Amino acid sequence: MALLSLEEAKAQINSKSDVDDVELLAYIDSVTAVIEEFIGPVEPREVTEQHDAGYGRRVLVLRTMPVLSLTSVTPVLAGGISYPVDGLTVDGASGEVRRQNGGTFRGLLDVAVQAGRPAVTPTINLSARMLVQHLWRTQRPSRGGGLAGGGDDYSASTPIPGFGFAVPNRVLELLQPYRLPPGVA
């Protein structure tokens, strides 16, 4: 699953030529990391995090969200307790992992999950297309001779914290409903 296809990106920048396909594919690949920095994984992937439950913790809170499924919870150190996933619940949106019997987790644990989203929503796809278009336009001469991006609706008069000038406000506004909670990265 990709945020957008080559055909979608070409339609967004109004290109019918194959001349720039290799370069455009690099743009498509690069926007995934930028968008996922803001909203978490979109394309499903296996992620393993280490959590220290100490002498007992009722909830493990994952740092990677959203979560599609829990794969395993295993001890890092020999002799530790392993927790079968059929006895656990995971809240995909909040990243909270709990034991169904109400018990606690103990020790240093590796928690493996399938993170991402079941599908790319139209809004996330549009955000990716608009970001590719923005980045493409800043590298291509406009009809007036200068660089596109200056003085039009893609300009950024002030940098966006954590994103600089590379991501236009309109993209971040579209992604706002999917934004990660504060402190999650």
Side-chain angles (χ1 to χ4, degrees):
M1 174 176 61
L3 291 178
L4 73 156
S5 67
L6 177 60
E7 292 73 27
E8 290 170 323
K10 288 172 77 168
Q12 187 71 22
I13 65 168
N14 295 318
S15 173
K16 292 180 178 26
S17 169
D18 296 339
V19 172
D20 295 317
D21 284 3
V22 172
E23 185 179 4
L24 190 53
L25 283 169
Y27 280 72
I28 292 168
D29 290 342
S30 70
V31 300
T32 298
V34 174
I35 288 176
E36 289 185 344
E37 175 71 21
F38 194 67
I39 66 171
V42 177
E43 298 176 357
R45 69 187 61 116
E46 185 78 18
V47 175
T48 301
E49 299 180 357
Q50 204 166 82
H51 290 266
D52 188 353
Y55 295 106
R57 185 170 291 169
R58 290 202 181 281
V59 179
L60 299 176
V61 180
L62 301 172
R63 294 178 294 278
T64 305
M65 295 177 273
V67 175
L68 293 168
S69 64
L70 188 61
T71 307
S72 67
V73 179
T74 56
V76 173
L77 305 173
I81 300 170
S82 187
Y83 300 91
V85 294
D86 61 354
L88 305 174
T89 60
V90 62
D91 181 317
S94 71
E96 293 180 351
V97 179
R98 299 176 189 273
R99 294 183 65 190
Q100 291 175 357
N101 67 7
T104 59
F105 296 97
R106 296 184 186 277
L108 189 58
L109 303 168
D110 276 337
V111 180
V113 300
Q114 185 73 14
R117 298 171 191 275
V120 176
T121 67
T123 304
I124 293 172
N125 175 270
L126 175 60
S127 299
R129 286 187 285 128
M130 290 173 65
L131 184 53
V132 165
Q133 181 182 21
H134 169 72
L135 295 172
W136 191 258
R137 287 177 63 177
T138 61
Q139 300 302 312
R140 300 288 179 256
S142 68
R143 289 183 195 143
L147 281 179
D152 64 15
D153 62 350
Y154 280 90
S155 296
S157 58
T158 58
I160 298 163
F163 293 96
F165 291 101
V167 183
N169 287 330
R170 64 176 52 201
V171 170
L172 294 177
E173 288 169 2
L174 285 170
L175 294 172
Q176 188 62 38
Y178 306 96
R179 188 172 188 175
L180 291 172
V184 176

